[in-house]
Amino acid sequence: MKILANDGIDPIGKKLLEDAGFEVDTNHIPQEELVTKLNNYDAITVRSATKVRQALIDACPNIKVIGRGGVGMDNIDVDYARSKGIAVINTPAASSLSVAELVFAHLLNGVRFLFDANRKMPVEGSTNFAGLKKAYAKGIELRGKTIGIVGFGRIGRETAKIALGLGMDVVFSDLYDGPASLELSLSGGVKVEVPVKQVGLQELFSVSDFISLHVPFTDKPVIGKEEFALLKDGVALVNASRGGVIDELALIEALDSGKVSFAALDVFDDEPTPRAGILQHAKISLTPHIGAATNEAQERIGEELANLIIQQLKK
């Protein structure tokens, strides 16, 4: 059997599949060519780049398994594929910690203006050192502040654990009932339960100093023009989930007005060509969709995905 890892797979995962007797092709096939070439394979693995929609599924009846390395599966017509008897699998836990750590890389970056300082120091550092020092002298600490987490699945909970470890208060909003506390592991193997609070989305908007989004994209932004009016003045936003969850044009207005102090984006409306107004804004910290892009996460994703595919294809 042949497997197309169209968006790549960690060498550990590739070896597991090959040791199980499968042929693994890691050569990327462009989206427009998949309709004619995918039927040469029995399974396909993707990340966020490749889309597996109904038309492609219909054109490739040989496909038995679609694997998504990562959490969200909004680039796959999951229900339709399953209605055709195709197994659709993903690895929701493997990248959670890496995404959560990136959220705090952005938050720590933002509260001390590092993203802007890194832009200006090479240009002005030798001629305006004192001016830059004064400009960036009003940073704040995260300890004692409230972070609101929208979506309290695996990534949301890992984000909350880091926040609690930094001494932040955590409120969260989710469609389902969540826990009243989370377990933190301390040095020496000591474990403690630390409280978190579930609230409605509007309350979260009104009390949060920082908001981190961990939800799939639906039919409208979670934070659009109307929602920006509900946010606490000076709030900071992080989106490491999906492009479109925050209305980017409304975000630019909120940053310009001072309603939002800074934003951090790992995902964008128009990937891989984000709008210039976002890329050039002085109050936005930017990364190119790298939430799960750590060596450790990729190893876990590759290993978990390979084992799930083996289970399905060996049935």
Side-chain angles (χ1 to χ4, degrees):
M1 288 187 176
K2 295 180 65 177
I3 300 167
L4 174 64
N6 206 45
D7 296 333
I9 189 170
D10 188 84
I12 290 176
K14 185 172 186 287
K15 185 176 187 304
L16 283 170
L17 290 167
E18 290 173 341
D19 288 348
F22 300 111
E23 181 182 343
V24 182
D25 184 356
T26 58
N27 292 315
H28 178 77
I29 297 175
Q31 184 74 47
E32 63 274 12
E33 297 179 18
L34 281 171
V35 69
T36 58
K37 296 182 178 179
L38 183 56
N39 218 35
N40 295 323
Y41 300 88
D42 300 280
I44 180 173
T45 72
V46 301
R47 295 296 304 275
S48 58
T50 301
K51 295 175 175 56
V52 187
R53 301 298 187 201
Q54 179 175 336
L56 182 60
I57 293 167
D58 285 340
C60 303
N62 200 50
I63 291 294
K64 302 173 183 65
V65 179
I66 301 169
R68 165 70 162 93
V71 182
M73 295 198 290
D74 42 1
N75 56 323
I76 302 169
D77 285 343
V78 177
D79 291 340
Y80 186 76
R82 288 174 175 163
S83 76
K84 294 291 186 178
I86 300 170
V88 184
I89 56 179
N90 69 335
T91 59
S95 61
S96 300
L97 179 58
S98 293
V99 178
E101 287 189 354
L102 181 67
V103 168
F104 276 90
H106 275 297
L107 283 177
L108 291 164
N109 186 345
V111 294
R112 299 304 297 271
F113 315 110
L114 303 187
F115 58 95
D116 198 44
N118 272 284
R119 289 166 172 163
K120 291 184 178 176
M121 278 294 289
V123 179
E124 301 179 33
S126 61
T127 59
N128 187 32
F129 191 90
L132 292 178
K133 182 176 180 180
K134 183 178 180 180
Y136 302 132
K138 294 184 178 180
I140 62 171
E141 297 177 353
L142 294 179
R143 181 178 296 274
K145 307 301 190 301
T146 297
I147 184 170
I149 299 175
V150 182
F152 213 56
R154 293 175 177 87
I155 298 174
R157 296 184 193 203
E158 288 294 340
T159 302
K161 289 178 182 179
I162 298 175
L164 294 170
L166 288 169
M168 303 182 78
D169 296 320
V170 173
V171 298
F172 70 91
S173 177
D174 197 273
L175 295 175
Y176 305 98
D177 290 340
S181 64
L182 291 176
E183 184 180 82
L184 298 188
S185 298
L186 306 180
S187 60
V190 177
K191 296 184 184 297
V192 296
E193 290 286 331
V194 184
V196 295
K197 182 181 180 183
Q198 185 165 7
V199 298
L201 197 55
Q202 289 199 5
E203 182 178 347
L204 183 147
F205 289 158
S206 68
V207 303
S208 298
D209 301 298
F210 304 93
I211 296 175
S212 186
L213 295 141
H214 301 286
V215 292
F217 178 73
T218 54
D219 57 342
K220 65 186 290 272
V222 174
I223 302 181
K225 195 171 184 66
E226 294 180 0
E227 287 76 20
F228 273 105
L230 305 175
L231 301 181
K232 191 174 181 179
D233 289 344
V235 69
L237 305 177
V238 183
N239 184 13
S241 56
R242 284 290 179 270
V245 171
I246 298 175
D247 182 329
E248 289 184 353
L249 295 178
L251 172 61
I252 291 171
E253 290 182 10
L255 288 165
D256 290 343
S257 72
K259 179 71 176 183
V260 175
S261 60
F262 73 87
L265 302 178
D266 185 51
V267 291
F268 306 89
D269 284 352
D270 302 311
E271 294 185 29
T273 55
R275 54 172 46 95
I278 290 291
L279 295 179
Q280 297 167 7
H281 203 287
K283 293 183 179 180
I284 302 179
S285 177
L286 302 160
T287 47
H289 205 151
I290 57 169
T294 63
N295 293 336
E296 295 87 349
Q298 293 308 304
E299 287 179 0
R300 290 191 296 266
I301 288 170
E303 183 175 2
E304 184 177 348
L305 194 58
N307 285 325
L308 289 170
I309 290 171
I310 291 166
Q311 290 174 18
Q312 292 295 330
L313 292 181
K314 292 289 188 181
K315 284 183 178 179

